[in-house]
Amino acid sequence: MTQAQPHTASDRVLTRLMRLHPKKIDLTLGRVERLLTALGNPQDLLPPVIHVAGTNGKGSTVATMRACLEAASYRVHVYTSPHLVRFHERIRLAGELIDEDALLAALDECERANGGEPITFFEITTAAAFLAFARIPADIVLLETGLGGRLDATNVIDRPAATAITPISLDHQAFLGDTIAAIAGEKAGILKPGAPAIIGPQPDAAAAVIEARAVAIGAPLYRWHREWRCGPHPPAAEAADPPLSHNAGEGTRLRGPRGGEGEAGMRYEGEKWRLDLPLPSLPGAHQIANAGIALACLERLDGFLLPEEAITAGLRRIDWPARLQRLTSGPLVETLPSRWELWLDGGHNPGAGQVLSDAAAGWRDRPLYLVVGMLSTKDASGFLTPLEAHARALCALTIPGEENALPAARIAATARALGIRAEEAASVETALRSIVARAIVDGEAGPARVLICGSLHLAGIVLAENG
């Protein structure tokens, strides 16, 4: 996430920390291990840790676990990345976003201990998170990898309570490898001997690599549709909608949590739990698979009591912005006609494109227009190909303030090559106005839906602009 113009003390420190290494990404564990040693190894002083890797669904899985644990009155530390608007979003201390004073203190201590040595921004800020976690009492830590797993700065927990791998697809090939198998090998690097390994829906190539690694190191496997299942319930709901995909647990949105007569929900079946539950509050049937991964992790925790009532309450109030999020108020929403809908999703790889395509397949009530901004390191064609069948038109923009932004002209050209009508815009607001004007020219007088997608960086800008 591109850092905004510094306006707080922590922003100024964060900007300074970005200059400690010439590369934004340089995967190795040596530098972070050196710094953690200088700090007294705070990562060894934490409560039980659930470590989560994967290409898609990591954040949603963590958010679901947090909601259920907090509904059961547990104090939860959480580390996720990237942030959308402010860096503070990455670190939650016992349920609350880290405050300015605590963040500044942790960053200052890490900067002093590092002594000016080369270290990446993610490495030193991960060390700061561990330092903050070690000093505030909590019952559990939910830890999301930044990139990959094997050499990720979070991979310094020797004895996690559990590890989890969410669906894997092609992404970050320059760092993780060009094949699903190679990427799976990097993600499987978080598995640890004796720690339960909860595995979400995977392509066959990924599953084979993960299972081989688990067997080699002695990590007990808990696999989707093997040791646990999670799917729509009652069966009539499952029959009416596409099945969950082995690639990413995709499908269309089922309507309504359990609680209203005749409404659909989901069923989780593991080695100990048999639960009929509401659908997760995050839209998209792919979230059923993500919720299943979360529940499988929670089922394997020793010493935690999670009543079904707490799980039900947690599933109904999961907080995870920019994941098929409908924006219902704000300046950008007001740009659209009154009966139009504005949606936001940070997905940016082929797997995420398929998830959005499956969601769009259930949006048959009105035309769909896309606003797309992406990074130059992403596969625009792979992301847009699944969406071609559903998009009436696309407006491309270059992500403002992002040095690695893919030019709008290239996004538009890629869309046109796929058969999607496309034009360019200079800003999100301009893109929305252009789409409305196009709809009028096309004689589309009724309500429509606009989906802004392609980048978490863009999603952060949208949330900031929309207030």
Side-chain angles (χ1 to χ4, degrees), residues 203-412:
D204 291 342
V209 170
I210 294 167
E211 291 176 14
R213 175 64 179 168
V215 170
I217 66 170
L221 279 164
Y222 298 92
R223 296 156 292 186
W224 183 69
H225 276 198
R226 298 282 291 276
E227 289 75 22
W228 63 271
R229 295 173 176 269
C230 192
H233 185 73
E238 189 170 12
D241 287 275
L244 299 178
S245 162
H246 281 272
N247 288 326
E250 307 99 344
T252 59
R253 173 68 171 159
L254 300 174
R255 294 181 57 83
R258 190 182 69 173
E261 194 65 32
E263 291 180 331
M266 69 179 195
R267 170 170 288 171
Y268 174 82
E269 296 181 357
E271 294 190 343
K272 295 183 287 185
W273 291 355
R274 301 287 189 275
L275 302 173
D276 289 330
L277 299 163
L279 293 171
S281 59
L282 298 176
H286 62 290
Q287 294 294 354
I288 295 177
N290 293 336
I293 299 168
L295 293 172
C297 289
L298 298 178
E299 183 185 25
R300 303 313 308 175
L301 284 178
D302 291 328
F304 286 75
L305 180 63
L306 286 154
E308 183 175 350
E309 294 76 13
I311 294 171
T312 294
L315 289 171
R316 285 179 168 147
R317 56 172 186 255
I318 305 166
D319 177 26
W320 197 232
R323 278 72 178 181
L324 269 179
Q325 176 186 4
R326 184 179 175 186
L327 305 178
T328 57
S329 62
L332 295 179
V333 175
E334 292 167 3
T335 302
L336 299 176
S338 60
R339 296 173 63 200
W340 285 42
E341 293 180 3
L342 182 61
W343 290 71
L344 177 65
D345 192 271
H348 49 260
N349 54 47
Q354 185 61 54
V355 166
L356 293 178
S357 173
D358 289 336
W363 285 345
R364 302 183 182 94
D365 58 323
R366 60 189 71 195
L368 174 66
Y369 296 89
L370 303 179
V371 175
V372 179
M374 302 189 72
L375 298 182
S376 59
T377 54
K378 303 303 177 182
D379 177 5
S381 179
F383 175 73
L384 292 175
T385 294
L387 290 163
E388 180 273 330
H390 309 293
R392 184 67 54 89
L394 177 151
C395 198
L397 54 85
T398 305
I399 301 174
E402 174 52 57
E403 61 183 22
N404 293 319
L406 185 65
R410 287 181 55 188
I411 298 173

